[in-house]
Amino acid sequence: MSNNLDILAITESWLTGDHRDDHAIADLTSTLPDYNLHHIPRKNRAGGGVCVCLRKSFKINMSTIKEYDSFQYIDLAITSRCQTPLRLIVLYRPQKTECKQNTAPIFFREFPSFFEEIATTRNNLLITGDFNFHVNDPADREASLFLDLIDSAGLKQFVTVPTHIKGNTLDLIITRSTDNFVSNVSATNFLPSDHAAVLCSLDIVRPETTKMEIRIRKLRDIDLNTFRNDILQSSLYTSPSPDLDKLIAQYENVLLKLKDKHAPLITRTVKCRPNAPWYNEQLRDLKQKLRRLERRWLSSKLEIDKQCFKELSNQYHEMINQAKLDYHKMQFENCNSKQLFQQVEKLSKPKTSKVLPSEIPNDPLVERFSSFFAEKIQRIKANLEESPPSHLSVQTSYSCTSTLSELAMVSEESVKEIIMKSPSSSCTLDPIPTWLLKNV
């Protein structure tokens, strides 16, 4: 968020492809509502996993993923405003296989065939990720073989700064030698990870800000006295229908018209923005101080500056975790039971859009839902009739002498009292919200 990124590539996501991912994905989608997450999990083994988080206004096409023994990857074609797509490949090579074998020899056999498949693409090609080769060390044989391999394939590598806590360059940005759309490559070390974040600029068209249409009514701004007077002057009071069904229709029509009059429907277009209400001024000031210490350490290369930077970095991330904890704790303390369930669902489940079949009009779809449940009840009844339960004998130790022979009439005041004491929950089918109904 602070770097205003359009694309974020992540290796070692630890996503597994099952329900254990829900909390992490829910946290991301709640904090970054204008971003989509695409990921390839690492199943049946801890660690690993690659993912890309990018703005919703990008058009994305994910290519079919093949299985390789030495590395994981995700392959996305990213298009922005009708420009030539960017083919982004995020790759992670673990140092060891499941059998504790070194993956480097296998990688040198697999990567050339992998590159042959993607080399023919006409798109801008960008390969990035954690390759786990110490390309900064000329004496490292595996790193030298890797650099020779990408050079023979017509590729070039941009990262020249340390990307690991031990001073090695493991996280790379690779393009074709003939391409020239990557610039401003840098790395920042203030993350809690043992790897740095590698930043760069891409010479492609930036996507438009994600926008969405919302429809609102300013119900809270309604003048209640005027609303009451309009109800009293309406046909609902001056000429109510004697027929119950017609009276219900009259009630709904009158209130709907009055709602449109006093709080007309307004359509607005809003921009989706990141949402981190727990991020406060204290964290922002500490982060600026952290950046200054990082620049001092990178400039001086002194161990004392490195230690000061690491200590403040740990303090910063502890404060972030505490700020999030305090914020969510306050949210839970100040909410009712309904809001509590909403908060828990927001934090534990990713957002999903409710999708209905697009090829079926609404009216036939409603009939299909109705028929489904009606037929389901009939099937249950038929199954019960086919297998009647065995005779049951219930022993009771008491007898009831009271009988219910008639229902007593209730007064309007009694009905009103029950309505006013009931919860103010509403349904979209209600002509006006229940809280407004009670007030008028």
Side-chain angles (χ1 to χ4, degrees), residues 69-86:
D69 295 327
S70 62
F71 63 92
Q72 266 192 296
Y73 74 100
I74 186 170
D75 185 356
L76 300 177
I78 304 172
T79 309
S80 174
R81 303 190 193 181
C82 302
Q83 193 187 31
T84 301
L86 167 70

Side-chain angles (χ1 to χ4, degrees), residues 24-247:
I25 296 175
D27 196 13
L28 273 171
T29 53
S30 296
T31 307
L32 302 172
D34 54 335
Y35 289 76
N36 280 327
L37 182 74
H38 301 268
H39 75 98
I40 302 295
R42 192 181 192 184
K43 298 178 180 178
N44 306 320
R45 187 179 173 190
V50 289
C51 66
V52 181
C53 192
L54 30 65
R55 293 193 187 274
K56 288 182 176 178
S57 44
F58 280 121
K59 292 182 179 178
I60 306 299
N61 183 27
M62 184 187 292
S63 300
T64 305
I65 304 299
K66 289 188 176 181
E67 294 285 340
Y68 289 93
D69 295 327
S70 62
F71 63 92
Q72 266 192 296
Y73 74 100
I74 186 170
D75 185 356
L76 300 177
I78 304 172
T79 309
S80 174
R81 303 190 193 181
C82 302
Q83 193 187 31
T84 301
L86 167 70
R87 187 165 186 181
L88 173 65
I89 295 172
V90 182
L91 184 149
Y92 170 62
R93 181 188 77 88
Q95 291 181 312
K96 304 289 184 181
T97 65
E98 286 187 71
C99 303
K100 306 300 180 183
Q101 292 178 321
N102 184 7
T103 58
I106 309 172
F107 179 84
F108 291 134
R109 292 196 304 269
E110 292 183 335
F111 187 76
S113 61
F114 168 70
F115 182 71
E116 284 178 9
E117 294 184 12
I118 63 174
T120 55
T121 180
R122 296 180 180 179
N123 305 339
N124 292 321
L125 178 63
L126 179 65
I127 306 173
T128 187
D130 178 7
F131 288 79
N132 265 314
F133 291 117
H134 299 178
V135 297
N136 57 296
D137 185 2
D140 190 301
R141 182 175 174 276
E142 290 180 349
S144 298
L145 287 172
F146 173 71
L147 292 174
D148 290 341
L149 176 63
I150 64 172
D151 184 60
S152 64
L155 303 173
K156 62 180 176 181
Q157 199 283 119
F158 286 85
V159 183
T160 57
V161 294
T163 66
H164 190 262
I165 196 170
K166 293 184 178 179
N168 292 308
T169 303
L170 310 178
D171 305 273
L172 312 178
I173 294 175
I174 300 170
T175 68
R176 293 190 185 97
S177 301
T178 53
D179 289 341
N180 192 28
F181 62 91
V182 174
S183 60
N184 302 326
V185 178
S186 62
T188 183
N189 295 274
F190 66 85
L191 298 174
S193 169
D194 55 349
H195 286 254
V198 182
L199 307 174
C200 73
S201 299
L202 302 179
D203 187 16
I204 61 175
V205 178
R206 193 163 202 169
E208 294 180 347
T209 305
T210 308
K211 298 177 181 178
M212 60 183 294
E213 274 196 356
I214 59 171
R215 305 174 75 188
I216 60 171
R217 295 181 188 269
K218 295 186 176 180
L219 295 169
R220 299 288 176 182
D221 294 344
I222 290 177
D223 185 321
L224 298 181
N225 290 326
T226 308
F227 199 94
R228 289 190 192 98
N229 290 333
D230 284 351
I231 292 176
L232 292 172
Q233 294 171 14
S234 69
S235 61
L236 193 59
Y237 267 75
T238 57
S239 55
S241 173
D243 179 75
L244 179 59
D245 289 336
K246 292 180 180 179
L247 181 62

Side-chain angles (χ1 to χ4, degrees), residues 268-431:
R268 286 183 178 173
T269 302
V270 298
K271 294 180 180 179
C272 291
R273 301 187 186 280
N275 178 38
W278 40 264
Y279 196 77
N280 52 40
E281 287 298 323
Q282 188 179 5
L283 285 169
R284 191 171 284 106
D285 293 342
L286 187 61
K287 184 176 181 181
Q288 291 176 354
K289 186 178 178 181
L290 187 62
R291 287 286 178 84
R292 288 195 295 269
L293 284 178
E294 182 184 23
R295 287 193 292 270
R296 183 195 299 174
W297 165 47
L298 293 176
S299 175
S300 69
K301 306 296 183 182
L302 295 175
E303 187 64 27
I304 184 65
D305 288 337
K306 179 180 179 180
Q307 291 301 321
C308 291
F309 168 69
K310 290 300 179 184
E311 287 177 10
L312 191 64
S313 179
N314 292 335
Q315 180 186 343
Y316 173 66
H317 289 286
E318 286 174 6
M319 286 183 63
I320 283 182
N321 290 332
Q322 189 61 45
K324 290 180 74 174
L325 183 66
D326 292 342
Y327 171 77
H328 290 305
K329 188 183 291 184
M330 185 176 67
Q331 294 293 105
F332 283 123
E333 288 175 351
N334 298 332
C335 63
N336 56 35
S337 57
K338 181 180 178 182
Q339 293 168 334
L340 178 64
F341 281 105
Q342 292 173 343
Q343 285 291 330
V344 170
E345 186 171 22
K346 178 182 175 183
L347 292 172
S348 59
K349 289 185 179 180
K351 291 180 181 176
T352 55
S353 56
K354 296 179 176 64
V355 181
L356 294 175
S358 57
E359 70 278 3
I360 304 175
N362 282 346
D363 289 347
L365 190 61
V366 170
E367 292 300 326
R368 283 181 59 179
F369 272 110
S370 177
S371 300
F372 171 80
F373 287 108
E375 291 169 4
K376 184 176 181 179
I377 292 170
Q378 292 299 324
R379 286 197 302 272
I380 293 172
K381 289 175 68 177
N383 290 337
L384 290 174
E385 290 172 357
E386 288 177 4
S387 54
S390 57
H391 179 71
L392 295 176
S393 176
V394 180
Q395 300 293 328
T396 58
S397 58
Y398 61 89
S399 60
C400 180
T401 57
S402 302
T403 57
L404 179 63
S405 56
E406 60 180 333
L407 296 174
M409 293 292 291
V410 293
S411 64
E412 289 185 13
E413 286 300 316
S414 300
V415 174
K416 181 179 179 181
E417 183 180 358
I418 293 170
I419 292 173
M420 298 303 286
K421 286 182 178 179
S422 64
S424 296
S425 56
S426 298
C427 166
T428 53
L429 298 176
D430 296 338

